[in-house]
Amino acid sequence: MAATNQDWYMNLTFQELKNGNEKLGLYKAEWLSDKIFDYFSEPGYFHQLANSRPCIIVGGRGTGKTTVLKSLSYEGQSSLNKNLNTNEWQFYGIYWKVNLNRVTSFINRGLTEEDWQPYFSHYLNLILCHKLTQFALWYEKTQKITLNLDKKILRKTLTTLNIPLDYVKNVEDLEDELDILIAELESKLNSITSTDQVNLTILGAPIDRVSELLLKTPQLEGKQFVFLIDEFENFEDYQQRVMNTLIKQINNLYTFKIGVRELGWRNRATLRDNEILNSPADYFKIDMRTVFQENSFSEFAKQVVESRIPELKEIGGVEKLLPSLNEEEEANILIGTELELNIRKSINSLLPKKYLKKLESKSIGQIYFIDYISRSRNESYQENLIDWLENEGAWKDRFNNYFHAYLFSIRKGKSGIRKFYTGWDTFILLANNNIRYLIELVNKSIQIYLDNNIYSQLSYIDYEFQTKATQLIAKKNFTELEGISINGATLTKLLLGLGRLFEVLASNSEGHAPEVNQFYLNNLSENHNNVEAILTHAVMHLALIRIPGTKINDSSTTKEFDYMIHPIFAPFFVFSHRKKRKLTLEPQDILTLIDDPKKALRYLIQKNKRPLEALQTSLPDQLDLFGDYLNVAN
């Protein structure tokens, strides 16, 4: 099936598209490995990171935090700036991804957080010092030189680290000793007690010493190290306080760039009583929800996709590959030939002959919309048809305000596609500034096209394939929720309940505010910490997005925000992906949607003035698996 507004073919072979799509399929930074820098596209905010001030990059998984941080590392800069001599760099980035298995070893087992704090501080010292020496070895190898370590500073450094002076003569020796110290500490953690004797170091002191040791060499003098800490949310709360203390006390030797999920930076306090990190005094915040303004994410995403499939530029870019449907075209297709014949036949006996000729030039999508409006307002279909034909200008606002919402009602309760999600601009909105989601959508669309295309000449990807791709990617990310954390099952149940609620509201919108797809929690207080915890995890793991409300006291809290199911899931549940109108929920509604969804749905549907029968219509095909869980009987 071909899109109705396209009549061209692409000068792009199947093999070129297939090869490019294989590259596009490597959308996780971890999958790309050393290739990550070959496909790096510099986002517009990148220049805000290339300086000495501490930065916190806040965003969900897939927003590009890891790729950006790795590109700032010495490995990344070496690959991206091959024509620039290493000595000309302004700083040397040291990348460290926080290992959840390692840092959770510093909790429990009979010790309090206060007991664990010095051990973790020592571990942090060792890890970052070891990372520094790994850089130094890389520098010596790539520059084919030996760093001349100052003997006095080396002695002070070894004393701080409790390493015998005669063990270390050069960078390689120091790297080896640090590695051994890390291994020794890790080997003791499972059986450690508060009475064990471990040579601990003071927080930050070894990092200062090793940094000074390296930066006082003639080759590195005048430079600065930048620690690039990824997945900061993996730290325990007390561990975040330890890291915050380091960030607060930065010096000219090093600074920090931190990548963390939204709401993953749970504790902004330091180890000093009543001291917290504040922006912009202590750090600069880059919020991935807002960093892409207007069309900048679309341009960045286009650059990323076309860097993997450069041949797309020859045919006008990725937008040509993914054509869109306008709303009238979509309505015509959703109504279909059979229903159109029935509608036009009934109108022939409904209207005076003088209007029938004029009606022939009107699309079935427009005509059926008049029926939708008539049912919405309990008005005469015949009178509204005549009024529209005689006063089209007066109907313009109704078409603008309600036509998109009407699309969700056309195929209510029917099998097959109930709503199309097509076009580059729609994919941009579904991704919601998440580059991984955007790449997944394009990749799956191409894959479905290649698997199903029977033509010898390559054409655009039609709207059915695009919509199927959005459904499959939504389903994939939905099913992955359960395994992403200990709260995954709770998030899955919450998303199912909310998704069904908004699907019913969308498909039964006659006479109601159009496109209700957000919610606000009323009466959320300190007595609802369990609900706040659920919302926090939902936002962190991209089940929900939060939108600033009219009153914001603290960006780290869940209060005073509106919430919306992440747009990527809209095609799965079938409701509008556009940020529109909201309803009010109580904290108890959230808990009931999780624990007793049928009870919650009955209550919320009646509260929002929809008939209970709406809950008994068949689910969209892709939700059939959850029929027993979601279908509500009288």
Side-chain angles (χ1 to χ4, degrees):
M1 187 180 293
T4 59
N5 61 347
Q6 302 289 334
D7 58 0
W8 51 271
Y9 292 91
M10 297 191 294
N11 183 25
L12 180 64
T13 68
F14 278 93
Q15 194 58 47
E16 286 174 330
L17 190 60
K18 182 178 180 181
N19 292 342
N21 201 45
E22 288 174 356
K23 298 175 186 176
L24 199 63
L26 301 173
Y27 46 79
K28 288 188 178 182
E30 296 83 357
W31 295 350
L32 285 167
S33 188
D34 294 338
K35 293 286 186 181
I36 186 173
F37 307 119
D38 294 342
Y39 302 130
F40 176 69
S41 296
E42 185 175 298
Y45 63 86
F46 190 76
H47 68 280
Q48 300 180 51
L49 292 164
N51 52 52
S52 61
R53 64 182 173 182
C55 289
I56 309 293
I57 310 172
V58 181
R61 71 185 188 281
T63 50
K65 302 186 304 297
T66 295
T67 300
V68 165
L69 289 174
K70 282 191 171 184
S71 72
L72 289 167
S73 69
Y74 61 87
E75 299 100 323
Q77 289 297 298
S78 176
S79 179
L80 295 171
N81 298 306
K82 293 178 180 178
N83 297 326
L84 188 64
N85 190 290
T86 308
N87 294 322
E88 297 179 57
W89 298 357
Q90 295 301 308
F91 61 84
Y92 299 109
I94 312 296
Y95 177 83
W96 179 41
K97 179 179 178 179
V98 179
N99 188 308
L100 183 62
N101 294 330
R102 298 286 196 278
V103 298
T104 51
S105 298
F106 293 86
I107 57 173
N108 300 328
R109 292 198 297 279
L111 298 184
T112 66
E113 288 185 352
E114 187 175 355
D115 293 330
W116 276 116
Q117 183 181 300
Y119 292 105
F120 177 74
S121 297
H122 178 56
Y123 175 74
L124 197 58
N125 286 335
L126 296 180
I127 287 292
L128 296 184
C129 286
H130 187 237
K131 292 288 182 181
L132 288 170
T133 57
Q134 287 180 318
F135 156 76
L137 286 177
W138 173 87
Y139 187 90
E140 287 186 334
K141 180 179 180 181
T142 58
Q143 299 300 302
K144 296 181 173 57
I145 61 165
T146 298
L147 291 173
N148 299 315
L149 305 179
D150 183 282
K151 292 183 179 179
K152 289 185 178 180
I153 301 177
L154 176 59
R155 182 175 180 179
K156 295 176 184 176
T157 302
L158 297 177
T159 301
T160 301
L161 286 164
N162 298 304
I163 297 174
L165 301 182
D166 57 346
Y167 279 25
V168 176
K169 303 299 181 184
N170 51 43
V171 170
E172 185 176 1
D173 292 342
L174 181 57
E175 188 273 339
D176 191 47
E177 288 301 316
L178 285 164
D179 202 15
I180 291 172
L181 287 176
I182 293 171
E184 288 177 346
L185 178 62
E186 290 175 341
S187 69
K188 295 177 180 179
L189 288 181
N190 285 331
S191 58
I192 203 165
T193 69
S194 58
T195 59
D196 281 348
Q197 296 297 313
V198 179
N199 290 325
L200 302 177
T201 54
I202 296 175
L203 178 64
I207 306 172
D208 290 347
R209 293 294 190 187
V210 174
S211 297
E212 182 185 18
L213 177 67
L214 297 178
L215 294 177
K216 285 295 183 179
T217 61
Q219 298 89 344
L220 300 179
E221 190 169 7
K223 305 297 183 182
Q224 186 183 43
F225 293 117
V226 177
F227 290 109
L228 310 160
I229 314 298
D230 200 4
E231 299 195 7
F232 190 85
E233 66 277 0
N234 285 343
F235 286 128
E236 297 293 315
D237 285 6
Y238 89 88
Q239 295 169 353
Q240 291 191 354
R241 290 186 65 195
V242 173
M243 273 300 309
N244 294 342
T245 305
L246 276 180
I247 297 171
K248 184 78 173 180
Q249 304 300 324
I250 63 165
N251 49 51
N252 64 328
L253 300 174
Y254 56 84
T255 188
F256 290 89
K257 312 289 181 183
I258 307 293
V260 62
R261 289 187 184 181
E262 187 176 357
L263 299 181
W265 193 13
R266 301 173 301 278
N267 193 331
R268 288 188 293 148
T270 70
L271 295 177
R272 179 179 294 176
D273 290 341
N274 302 318
E275 182 181 69
I276 64 171
L277 296 187
N278 289 296
S279 174
D282 299 310
Y283 63 91
F284 177 73
K285 181 180 178 180
I286 296 178
D287 191 336
M288 302 301 285
R289 295 176 306 167
T290 60
V291 72
F292 290 107
Q293 299 298 325
E294 297 179 354
N295 295 323
S296 60
F297 178 70
S298 179
E299 291 301 316
F300 170 63
K302 177 180 168 72
Q303 184 181 351
V304 170
V305 171
E306 293 178 0
S307 70
R308 311 282 181 93
I309 315 178
E311 294 84 2
L312 287 176
K313 297 176 184 177
E314 299 174 9
I315 54 91
V318 67
E319 299 98 322
K320 292 288 187 180
L321 185 71
L322 301 165
S324 62
L325 284 167
N326 66 44
E327 292 179 347
E328 186 179 341
E329 290 174 332
E330 181 172 354
N332 295 340
I333 297 168
L334 289 171
I335 291 169
T337 303
E338 183 178 348
L339 181 56
E340 177 177 3
L341 290 174
N342 291 335
I343 292 171
R344 290 192 182 275
K345 183 178 180 180
S346 67
I347 291 175
N348 286 337
S349 60
L350 189 66
L351 292 182
K353 289 185 178 179
K354 66 176 183 177
Y355 293 111
L356 295 180
K357 187 67 176 178
K358 192 173 184 180
L359 204 63
E360 289 178 1
S361 64
K362 304 300 181 184
S363 73
I364 190 61
Q366 293 174 311
I367 295 170
Y368 199 44
F369 175 73
I370 305 302
D371 179 51
Y372 169 84
I373 289 293
S374 301
R375 286 183 278 113
S376 298
R377 303 189 175 199
N378 250 347
E379 296 173 348
S380 166
Y381 180 34
Q382 179 185 32
E383 291 177 5
N384 277 339
L385 273 174
I386 293 173
D387 185 52
W388 169 55
L389 292 172
E390 292 182 341
N391 306 284
E392 286 189 44
W395 281 76
K396 185 176 180 181
D397 285 345
R398 293 184 187 180
F399 273 83
N400 290 337
N401 294 334
Y402 297 98
F403 201 92
H404 190 83
Y406 142 75
L407 295 174
F408 292 90
S409 70
I410 295 174
R411 290 186 55 80
K412 173 174 59 177
K414 297 182 179 179
S415 61
I417 292 175
R418 297 186 182 182
K419 172 72 178 68
F420 289 100
Y421 297 83
T422 71
W424 175 253
D425 289 341
T426 296
F427 280 20
I428 290 294
L429 293 176
L430 291 174
N432 192 52
N433 286 357
N434 188 303
I435 191 61
R436 183 184 300 173
Y437 283 166
L438 191 282
I439 292 176
E440 283 184 320
L441 290 169
V442 178
N443 172 251
K444 181 59 69 174
S445 297
I446 295 174
Q447 180 183 323
I448 293 174
Y449 176 85
L450 292 174
D451 289 344
N452 290 275
N453 199 279
I454 59 174
Y455 304 106
S456 59
Q457 196 169 20
L458 188 62
S459 64
Y460 49 83
I461 300 174
D462 68 41
Y463 41 78
E464 287 191 6
F465 290 160
Q466 291 184 55
T467 300
K468 186 64 175 177
T470 65
Q471 292 173 347
L472 290 173
I473 293 304
K475 183 178 182 180
K476 167 192 167 292
N477 285 286
F478 174 78
T479 54
E480 286 179 353
L481 272 178
E482 189 164 1
I484 59 177
S485 76
I486 58 174
N487 301 289
T490 297
L491 299 186
T492 299
K493 292 176 182 177
L494 174 61
L495 204 55
L496 273 173
L498 288 173
R500 176 60 166 164
L501 172 63
F502 289 122
E503 182 268 326
V504 171
L505 297 182
S507 59
N508 295 272
S509 60
E510 297 95 330
H512 301 280
E515 297 183 77
V516 177
N517 58 2
Q518 299 179 45
F519 67 92
Y520 168 78
L521 277 188
N522 190 37
N523 299 319
L524 184 63
S525 67
E526 294 179 357
N527 297 324
H528 302 109
N529 289 335
N530 53 343
V531 175
E532 281 206 76
I534 292 169
L535 293 178
T536 296
H537 282 91
V539 172
M540 278 185 62
H541 297 293
L542 299 185
L544 301 177
I545 61 172
R546 60 178 195 161
I547 304 157
T550 56
K551 179 181 177 184
I552 306 174
N553 296 320
D554 183 350
S555 63
S556 67
T557 182
T558 56
K559 296 185 181 70
E560 306 303 340
F561 280 87
D562 298 333
Y563 293 88
M564 177 182 178
I565 294 177
H566 194 291
I568 196 67
F569 299 110
F572 186 58
F573 294 106
V574 192
F575 60 82
S576 177
H577 59 284
R578 312 189 306 183
K579 295 183 179 74
K580 288 295 180 179
R581 292 162 182 83
K582 64 184 177 183
L583 54 80
T584 300
L585 297 180
E586 301 294 330
Q588 185 58 44
D589 294 333
I590 297 295
L591 299 177
T592 310
L593 278 168
I594 295 167
D595 298 331
D596 192 346
K598 295 180 180 181
K599 176 182 176 181
L601 288 170
R602 280 194 296 265
Y603 168 72
L604 292 171
I605 288 302
Q606 288 183 307
K607 180 182 176 182
N608 287 277
K609 297 180 172 57
R610 303 305 201 273
L612 276 179
E613 292 77 14
L615 284 168
Q616 294 161 6
T617 57
S618 64
L619 292 164
D621 293 351
Q622 61 272 19
L623 286 174
D624 276 349
L625 181 64
F626 307 101
D628 291 340
Y629 184 82
L630 292 174
N631 275 331
V632 178
N634 282 327

